[in-house]
Amino acid sequence: MNGRMGVVSGRYRSLSDRAGEDTAPRTVIELFGRMDDGRSVCLLVHGLRPTFEIAPIGQWKVEDEIAPFLKDRLRSVATMDHVADIRGPEVKWTMLGQRPVWTVEVEQPFHVPALRKALKSQSWQVFSGDIPFVNRLFLDADLGAHVAFSGEVVDERNADGPLLKPSVLDAGGGGRYAVDVTVVTSVDRLEPTPPFQVPYRILSFDLETSIEHETVLCAAACIEDLGSGKRHSIPYTGTEPEILEALTATVLEHDPDIITGYNIDNFDLPRLADRTNILQRGRGSEGSIALFGWGRAPPLETELKRQRDALLPKRQSNRAWNLAGRVIMDTWWQARQALNPRRETLSFVATLLFPDDEAKHKMDVDASKMDEEWAARPEEVLTYCVRDAELPLDILQAIQAVRRKEAVAAVAKVPFETAANGSTSQLIDSLVIRLADQQQVAVPLTGSAEAKEGQITGGYVHDVEKGLHPWIAVLDFKSMYPSIMIGHNICYTTRLEGSLDDVEQPDNVHRSPTEVVFRHQDERKGLVPFLLEDLMAQRDEHKAALRAAKNESDELAVGFHDAMQYAVKILMNSFYGVFASGFYRFTHRDLGSSITAWARQNIKTIIAAVEAEGHGVVYSDTDSIFVRCPIDANAPRMLSDDEREAVEKGDTAALEKRDAHLAAVEEMVAFGTKLAQRYSKDAAVLEFEKGLSVFFSHGAKKRYIGNVVWPAEEMLIRGYETQRTDSFPYLTSTMRQVFRFALADQGDQLVEYARERVRALKQCTVPPSEVVLAKSCKGRVLRTPVKSADDVDFHKDYTNPNSMAQVRVAKQRIELGLGFTSGMKVSFLVTDAKKRPMEVAPWLDTEGDGGEVTYDGLFYAERLAAAVGRITEIFDWNAKDLMAGNRQRTLFSFGT
DNA sequence: TGTGACCCCTAA
DNA sequence: TGAGTTAGGGGTCACA
């Protein structure tokens, strides 16, 4: 058959010799995924052998012969246990110049770590020795997330046959896989294919559990087909084994590619794993498989023993959960990443995303009293369980999590699983290593770079001029760090050390402000600049296609190209971070510091030049400058609501004011565009990004606001408390209003408003829900479920845990039976700040404003006054004045 | 009352 | 033992 699939994940099987046969060791890769026609598939891929590379340490010139002693050493390598073959040499580029490199083939992938270690100790330099075997397939065959294949069908879901079906075993499989179709193929019958939206199937589930007995009371699942958009939900009741087995049967029947739920990583999955361990007693492996055998692997005892990608979901320490052939994607984690919500409970996120849909967030079941609720009204509990199984699908849909990860997988050429749960360096590795292989660049091991000594210097931040500034043009560099890497050919493979002897044209190099020298691209183009240029071109293509799709109102294409261009952008911006990190395989401490040094030089040069032209620069951060425009300061900066209304009615004065405003905006656009154009140079493209009719800062870096009038009208706020998730709602809304007054230059109203708001807090007339604080809390979970504060070790993350409010709150939550997850945001009220440390009480989502908790009004008033006071100070009122309600100034207070 | 250590979170 | 980076503001606590 022929087919196209989206790859979900892969793993390998080592085939041992069958009795009596003298066959060479073989390794088969199982690629799991879903085809464009909607069928799930397992490809059994043959023909790839595990290898790594070695080179001798020591001087060598390309014209040198291979010395006899080296040949001897190679022969001894060939006789080592588990070495199957040695091939080479091939001349490859390494940090120490061109080197002869031999490929060592081993019997099985799991032999590599020990051999690598042994060879290192025998003074061999090892390359490509830490690349997971499945990745090797993607690199060698240049595959991405979408693969076209041909092969022979060896099993189908509806076909007959025993678990150990001969056709599957003969094809190198382990038994019948839990997929629609199983296909045997080989490396040379796979090829990359253009990205398409895979009709993935998602299963979301939720458990209700007894707090007292830690048992599962009931469960629910909801299955969604992304191809048709169809969904259906299933409730589960009965005895605990019945529930677990029915849930497992649903997974196998509906065969999802992605499994989700809300906080399943830290709650539902650990619970299912624990309960499975207890319930299977006396039933052995068969019991485990029936209760929790969710993977696509054959339901065999041997499949339980795998460390990862097993038949049962597993996780190593605190990493993501994994299982054979499917991806576990926690909606809690996805929502947190995409939305950075102030609180992280399911009901809070649902309210945030679906404010008008009451049914999605009302809470009629008290989860903290689940045993009583279950006893008293099981039907309501089950109804909410079903809803909470469906909600994660709504949330994933709203934040486009699956489509975005799919786009990242396509751009980075990795399986969906790597895009969903992998690290940034894995994405970069996928692109860089395949190019290195093409260009005969040896691939160093992770951790082989010299450690970075201390931090590198980062971006330049210009002092802010405090106060109100009319008519400010914001210019910024387009993809600054990627442009610098391209423009100066910055790469691991182009950095020159010491003498420039082997450089053809010693004058024709890039020399950074920190005196690091990079080879010119005409002589040797770096891997990173090459990849970044390609990504930039891809982004332009998708942006063009996006515009075209928008014109044709092709919504499907709009979604696709938008996700793709966004994924390219994310990936491009990840390069700098990875290459500036201390541990990445292709890094050197001079790379990151050269990039930022060039960036600082660029921006500082421009600031100086613009100022020399007579245009003040009020602020600048890393890649942006805020420039005063030569526009009449009296030009109207904005129109009030009344004035807008008057414009609608054709009022002459209002129309005149509007026209004067628009004329000034146009002047600013012309000025900004021209300035950006004049200061763009080669790869360093400066763009006029925004026009502000007013800019305001109280004088702190990274904290400013502006009234944006171009390209669209909006209020811009950066850094201030309104942006922070560890602030409280009353402070946030107060500041937002204060900013409106500030931008309108209405100092008197601003101060009056601020005083009133501080007074309300002091008198505790503000509802408690408006003063809820939230902070994330770390800690190592020692035992699950977390039932007492002793089950979490806070000392690993905190020097003095109890001095941190969020830790004290987390401990109280644990005692209330609410569980704990490392990194979760905990919400709380300050009840008495005079105590040291301050007294805090957890804020539970089920609480309304009628609760008994009372907050410390004075504390909140002081915090509000402090935050707002920084703004009002510009208008001559400080925090103390705000607290007092009047200004404590006399004639004699000056200068004392 | 001032200061430094520690921490969270944001801008870029 | 896992892994994108640095710059920066500001809150809390402990202690002089």
Side-chain angles (χ1 to χ4, degrees):
Chain A
M1 72 170 289
N2 294 301
R4 291 194 305 159
M5 71 188 282
V7 180
V8 169
S9 68
R11 46 174 223 171
Y12 72 79
R13 288 177 49 74
S14 299
L15 300 187
S16 44
D17 297 352
R18 292 210 206 157
E21 284 180 48
D22 185 22
T23 49
R26 287 185 300 154
T27 314
V28 176
I29 288 178
E30 301 160 335
L31 278 191
F32 296 96
R34 192 164 295 272
M35 293 197 280
D36 48 3
D37 63 12
R39 284 182 293 171
S40 67
V41 60
C42 168
L43 291 189
L44 298 168
V45 185
H46 290 250
L48 188 71
R49 297 297 307 138
T51 57
F52 61 93
E53 296 171 347
I54 54 171
I57 294 171
Q59 286 296 314
W60 187 76
K61 292 201 183 69
V62 177
E63 57 276 13
D64 284 357
E65 293 280 313
I66 302 302
F69 81 92
L70 201 49
K71 290 182 178 167
D72 286 343
R73 289 186 60 203
L74 283 162
R75 270 193 288 274
S76 92
V77 173
T79 61
M80 291 171 82
D81 277 348
H82 310 301
V83 171
D85 189 20
I86 294 194
R87 294 184 287 273
E90 196 180 346
V91 177
K92 290 204 171 189
W93 184 94
T94 77
M95 262 258 273
L96 303 170
Q98 300 292 120
R99 287 302 186 80
V101 171
W102 281 266
T103 298
V104 181
E105 183 187 319
V106 299
E107 289 172 357
Q108 294 299 351
F110 54 77
H111 292 134
V112 172
L115 276 166
R116 178 177 76 203
K117 200 173 158 207
L119 288 168
K120 268 202 259 185
S121 72
Q122 294 171 26
S123 298
W124 289 97
Q125 202 174 0
V126 177
F127 297 103
S128 296
D130 57 355
I131 299 167
F133 191 57
V134 175
N135 298 21
R136 197 70 263 169
L137 172 67
F138 281 75
L139 298 167
D140 288 359
D142 197 19
L143 302 180
H146 303 88
V147 171
F149 62 88
S150 65
E152 281 70 51
V153 176
V154 294
D155 192 22
E156 283 184 274
R157 186 181 293 277
N158 297 326
D160 295 328
L163 185 51
L164 296 173
K165 193 170 175 172
S167 62
V168 178
L169 299 189
D170 290 344
R176 298 195 67 190
Y177 293 88
V179 290
D180 293 327
V181 53
T182 304
V183 175
V184 62
T185 182
S186 60
V187 180
D188 51 3
R189 298 172 78 185
L190 305 181
E191 57 182 50
T193 192
F196 59 93
Q197 296 207 330
V198 183
Y200 284 126
R201 215 173 278 179
I202 314 180
L203 178 141
S204 171
F205 76 101
D206 182 44
L207 308 176
E208 301 304 340
T209 61
S210 159
I211 295 168
E212 208 177 322
H213 307 102
E214 294 167 15
T215 52
V216 176
L217 302 172
C218 66
C222 181
I223 297 101
E224 176 172 336
D225 184 329
L226 284 186
S228 63
K230 283 194 186 130
R231 276 191 197 176
H232 74 280
S233 304
I234 308 168
Y236 304 90
T237 52
T239 66
E240 200 180 15
E242 280 168 2
I243 293 171
L244 264 63
E245 286 182 18
L247 192 53
T248 303
T250 301
V251 171
L252 295 177
E253 182 193 340
H254 293 280
D255 192 19
D257 306 287
I258 299 159
I259 292 171
T260 192
Y262 206 83
N263 201 16
I264 53 172
D265 279 358
N266 297 303
F267 181 76
D268 303 69
L269 289 169
R271 180 61 54 92
L272 285 176
D274 287 347
R275 296 310 299 164
T276 298
N277 271 336
I278 290 162
L279 296 170
Q280 63 76 241
R281 280 176 199 155
R283 294 175 63 189
S285 59
E286 224 169 273
S288 299
I289 292 170
L291 292 161
F292 200 30
W294 286 13
R296 278 173 164 160
L300 298 164
E301 192 177 350
T302 50
E303 290 289 351
L304 299 178
K305 294 189 185 119
R306 278 182 172 258
Q307 290 302 301
R308 54 165 298 130
D309 302 312
L311 183 57
L312 269 60
K314 281 188 182 177
R315 77 165 155 187
Q316 291 77 38
S317 69
N318 264 335
R319 315 258 4 255
W321 284 78
N322 61 73
L323 78 167
R326 309 186 205 275
V327 175
I328 287 172
M329 221 175 144
D330 192 331
T331 297
W332 166 66
W333 189 250
Q334 297 300 324
R336 190 190 147 108
Q337 269 196 340
L339 303 169
N340 189 15
R342 240 174 46 74
R343 281 186 253 163
E344 296 169 355
T345 58
L346 177 56
S347 73
F348 188 87
V349 171
T351 311
L352 196 66
L353 289 172
F354 317 111
D356 304 324
D357 196 340
E358 178 72 13
K360 286 195 161 83
H361 38 83
K362 74 173 173 201
M363 307 238 299
D364 280 0
V365 172
D366 187 348
S368 66
K369 301 193 178 80
M370 186 49 73
D371 294 86
E372 291 93 313
E373 294 277 26
W374 179 246
R377 40 189 200 132
E379 275 171 32
E380 282 92 336
V381 171
L382 194 58
T383 307
Y384 277 94
C385 186
V386 171
R387 184 198 64 179
D388 290 354
E390 291 166 351
L391 264 178
L393 296 175
D394 295 328
I395 294 169
L396 287 186
Q397 159 72 30
I399 62 178
Q400 287 288 296
V402 173
R403 287 305 174 220
R404 291 204 161 179
K405 296 295 180 191
E406 192 183 8
V408 169
V411 176
K413 305 186 182 183
V414 293
F416 183 85
E417 185 186 40
T418 308
N421 293 333
S423 60
T424 313
S425 55
Q426 285 176 293
L427 305 179
I428 303 291
D429 251 357
S430 167
L431 295 178
V432 179
I433 294 176
R434 81 180 69 199
L435 187 59
D437 285 346
Q438 283 168 28
Q439 300 191 354
Q440 278 75 50
V441 170
V443 178
L445 303 178
T446 297
S448 57
E450 278 176 65
K452 242 182 358 179
E453 42 192 62
Q455 280 194 330
I456 60 172
T457 311
Y460 169 72
V461 190
H462 201 57
D463 279 331
V464 207
E465 278 187 38
K466 72 163 104 170
L468 270 181
H469 305 284
W471 304 111
I472 299 294
V474 183
L475 279 59
D476 64 8
F477 280 107
K478 189 181 170 188
S479 308
M480 186 187 228
Y481 288 176
S483 305
I484 289 172
M485 287 189 257
I486 294 170
H488 297 291
N489 202 32
I490 298 175
C491 187
Y492 180 79
T493 59
T494 55
R495 193 181 57 86
L496 290 164
E497 217 160 358
S499 81
L500 305 184
D501 286 353
D502 67 331
V503 179
E504 286 162 30
Q505 291 177 283
D507 295 336
N508 198 19
V509 293
H510 300 274
R511 190 178 294 271
S512 83
T514 49
E515 295 293 315
V516 179
V517 183
F518 296 93
R519 217 180 268 276
H520 196 269
Q521 50 271 34
D522 293 346
E523 252 177 58
R524 175 179 199 100
K525 178 121 187 162
L527 304 174
V528 172
F530 183 97
L531 289 169
L532 287 172
E533 273 185 7
D534 182 55
L535 288 168
M536 278 198 175
Q538 281 187 49
R539 179 140 193 248
D540 290 343
E541 276 174 37
H542 287 298
K543 279 179 141 183
L546 178 62
R547 278 192 296 274
K550 273 185 180 160
N551 286 337
E552 291 161 24
S553 303
D554 182 348
E555 271 182 50
L556 218 64
V558 168
F560 172 72
H561 290 294
D562 193 37
M564 289 295 282
Q565 70 84 16
Y566 183 71
V568 175
K569 178 185 170 174
I570 297 288
L571 206 60
M572 271 174 42
N573 289 334
S574 306
F575 271 76
Y576 159 72
V578 171
F579 282 83
S581 79
F583 51 81
Y584 186 56
R585 62 173 82 241
F586 280 108
T587 198
H588 184 278
R589 56 182 122 94
D590 288 349
L591 302 186
S593 57
S594 298
I595 296 164
T596 56
W598 258 306
R600 289 192 300 277
Q601 192 184 59
N602 287 353
I603 205 80
K604 284 182 181 173
T605 306
I606 289 180
I607 292 170
V610 170
E611 296 225 293
E613 278 190 41
H615 305 299
V617 172
V618 296
Y619 184 52
S620 163
D621 186 349
T622 310
D623 62 355
S624 66
I625 53 170
F626 292 61
V627 188
R628 270 204 190 95
C629 300
I631 289 173
D632 179 4
N634 295 321
R637 298 169 200 165
M638 56 179 84
L639 272 69
S640 66
D641 289 343
D642 289 348
E643 285 164 335
R644 279 168 204 272
E645 216 171 285
V647 166
E648 289 297 312
K649 287 181 183 148
D651 180 83
T652 322
L655 281 168
E656 258 175 41
K657 190 171 179 186
R658 197 257 329 248
D659 291 346
H661 170 76
L662 290 179
V665 171
E666 236 172 83
E667 260 187 82
M668 174 159 60
V669 173
F671 172 78
T673 314
K674 186 89 180 295
L675 200 66
Q677 205 175 26
R678 281 198 286 123
Y679 284 99
S680 292
K681 211 177 97 193
D682 306 325
V685 178
L686 200 59
E687 287 180 321
F688 172 54
E689 206 221 13
K690 276 195 268 287
L692 311 179
S693 66
V694 206
F695 168 91
F696 173 91
S697 173
H698 75 280
K701 291 171 173 181
K702 296 188 187 283
R703 292 195 159 206
Y704 61 87
I705 61 176
N707 185 52
V708 184
V709 289
W710 190 92
E713 290 196 15
E714 60 173 332
M715 184 156 74
L716 175 72
I717 309 178
R718 290 285 181 263
Y720 281 114
E721 284 79 353
T722 52
Q723 311 308 101
R724 297 183 63 100
T725 53
D726 56 357
S727 184
F728 54 98
Y730 195 73
L731 172 54
T732 301
S733 56
T734 303
M735 279 208 105
R736 207 184 299 278
Q737 183 55 43
V738 160
F739 288 151
R740 282 193 204 103
F741 284 129
L743 290 173
D745 202 4
Q746 296 171 325
D748 292 346
Q749 290 98 314
L750 186 158
V751 169
E752 186 43 45
Y753 175 76
R755 282 170 59 195
E756 170 49 36
R757 300 284 279 192
V758 170
R759 186 162 53 224
L761 270 180
K762 249 170 38 180
Q763 295 170 347
C764 290
T765 55
V766 175
S769 60
E770 285 291 299
V771 296
V772 176
L773 286 162
K775 265 190 181 184
S776 68
C777 184
K778 294 188 272 200
R780 310 288 162 95
V781 173
L782 303 172
R783 284 171 291 276
T784 53
V786 175
K787 282 185 294 185
S788 105
D790 298 339
D791 294 335
V792 183
D793 179 6
F794 292 103
H795 288 89
K796 284 268 185 332
D797 294 291
Y798 298 106
T799 317
N800 186 5
N802 285 328
S803 76
M804 313 299 298
Q806 66 269 43
V807 173
R808 300 195 299 274
V809 172
K811 287 182 174 176
Q812 293 181 65
R813 284 179 54 94
I814 292 169
E815 296 309 326
L816 289 170
L818 292 167
F820 176 81
T821 298
S822 183
M824 73 195 288
K825 282 194 176 91
V826 294
S827 301
F828 59 94
L829 291 183
V830 174
T831 51
D832 187 354
K834 283 187 294 297
K835 292 188 180 152
R836 307 319 308 256
M838 62 169 56
E839 188 183 86
V840 289
W843 174 264
L844 312 178
D845 249 347
T846 44
E847 272 173 293
D849 283 323
E852 298 110 63
V853 251
T854 48
Y855 60 88
D856 183 341
L858 204 58
F859 162 79
Y860 284 103
E862 267 166 2
R863 259 193 75 170
L864 181 68
V868 172
R870 286 189 278 269
I871 312 301
T872 54
E873 216 158 56
I874 305 292
F875 300 90
D876 263 353
W877 276 69
N878 62 29
K880 254 189 197 157
D881 302 333
L882 288 174
M883 278 303 283
N886 60 345
R887 266 189 284 204
Q888 305 290 313
R889 297 255 163 84
T890 68
L891 227 63
F892 308 104
S893 67
F894 289 103
T896 60

